[in-house]
Amino acid sequence: MVACPFEIPTYEYHKALTPRVRKCTLCHPRISRGLLPGCVDSCPTEALLFGKRTDLLKIARERIGEKPDVYIDHIYGEKEMGGTSWLYLAGTSFSKIGLNENLGTKPAIEYTAGTLSAVPIIVGLWPVFLTGAYAMNKRREKIAISEQEAAVTASIEATNETAAEKLDIALKKAERLKKKEIDNAVKKALAEVQQPDDEKTE
C-alpha cells in the first residue's frame, strides 16, 4: 500500500474482521479464456478499452487529434513512472480526478534497484555470518571448557602437592617422636643396667 505511487492497493474495509489488500488483476481468468475484463465488457458508455498498449496509445492519440477541445493533450500513464499498463484520457487536469501528476518518468524499479541489488548479497552473506558466529561461540565454549579442566587439574595437583608436603612433615615429626621415645627407652635401660647391685636390692 505504501509503495504504490498510484495508491491503488487498499484494505477492504467492508470486511472488518478479515480485511485484504488487493488490486485489479484485469480479470485474468476471463482473459485466459479469450474474454474481455469484466469492467470493459460491462461498461455501458464504452469508456474503457482493452488491448495491446501500442494499439491503445494509437487510439488515444487519434481521439486527442479528433477532439482537441474535449481532451487535454496528455495520455496519463504513457510516460509516468516509465509507462504503465493503464492509460487515461481526460478533459481536465488529472490531479482534479485524483491522479498524481508529480510522479516523473523514472521507472519505479530504478528507485529500488540499488537497495534490491544488495538483497542477494545480504541473503548470501547472512548464513556465512551466522555460521561464523556459531563457530566462534562453539570455539569460545571449547576454550572455556579446556580452561576449566586445566584449572581443575592445576587445583588437584596443588592439593596433592600440599597433602604430600603435610604427610611428609607429619611422617618426619612422627619419626622424630619415635626416635626420641627410643632414645629415652635406651637411656632408661642403660641407667638401670649401670645401677649398683646393692641399690637394686634395696
Side-chain angles (χ1 to χ4, degrees):
M1 285 172 62
V2 175
C4 180
F6 304 98
E7 299 177 4
I8 300 300
T10 54
Y11 274 115
E12 296 174 334
Y13 286 108
H14 59 283
K15 294 184 179 180
L17 299 177
T18 57
R20 294 176 295 180
V21 179
R22 296 195 298 171
K23 64 178 183 177
C24 176
T25 61
L26 292 174
C27 297
H28 182 264
R30 288 177 57 89
I31 293 169
S32 61
R33 295 197 319 264
L35 301 172
L36 291 172
C39 58
V40 177
D41 195 30
S42 61
C43 181
T45 60
E46 297 183 0
L48 300 171
L49 295 175
F50 177 79
K52 290 185 177 179
R53 193 171 192 273
T54 51
D55 296 338
L56 295 175
L57 284 168
K58 186 178 177 184
I59 293 167
R61 288 194 189 95
E62 285 173 1
R63 285 191 181 180
I64 292 170
E66 289 170 5
K67 298 180 181 178
D69 53 328
V70 175
Y71 300 108
I72 61 171
D73 189 14
H74 182 68
I75 303 168
Y76 188 90
E78 181 182 13
K79 296 181 181 176
E80 280 77 10
M81 299 295 293
T84 66
S85 298
W86 282 84
L87 303 170
Y88 297 87
L89 290 181
T92 184
S93 169
F94 288 103
S95 59
K96 287 183 181 177
I97 59 174
L99 295 172
N100 188 348
E101 290 190 285
N102 300 316
L103 297 173
T105 58
K106 190 175 179 181
I109 190 66
E110 290 186 23
Y111 290 104
T112 57
T115 307
L116 292 177
S117 65
V119 170
I121 296 168
I122 292 167
V123 170
L125 289 178
W126 192 243
V128 175
F129 170 75
L130 289 177
T131 304
Y134 176 78
M136 285 175 64
N137 278 339
K138 281 293 178 188
R139 185 172 182 277
R140 195 177 297 135
E141 286 175 12
K142 192 174 179 181
I143 289 170
I145 289 168
S146 64
E147 285 178 353
Q148 190 176 13
E149 287 174 353
V152 169
T153 304
S155 177
I156 290 169
E157 286 175 0
T159 303
N160 287 342
E161 283 178 15
T162 305
E165 285 175 8
K166 285 183 178 177
L167 180 63
D168 189 47
I169 291 167
L171 286 172
K172 284 179 180 176
K173 189 176 180 182
E175 195 176 330
R176 280 197 305 271
L177 287 172
K178 195 170 184 181
K179 190 175 180 185
K180 193 174 181 182
E181 284 178 10
I182 291 169
D183 287 347
N184 288 339
V186 168
K187 282 179 186 176
K188 189 176 180 183
L190 286 173
E192 285 178 2
V193 169
Q194 290 174 355
Q195 265 184 346
D197 290 336
D198 54 339
E199 287 181 12
K200 288 179 184 175
T201 53
E202 289 176 5

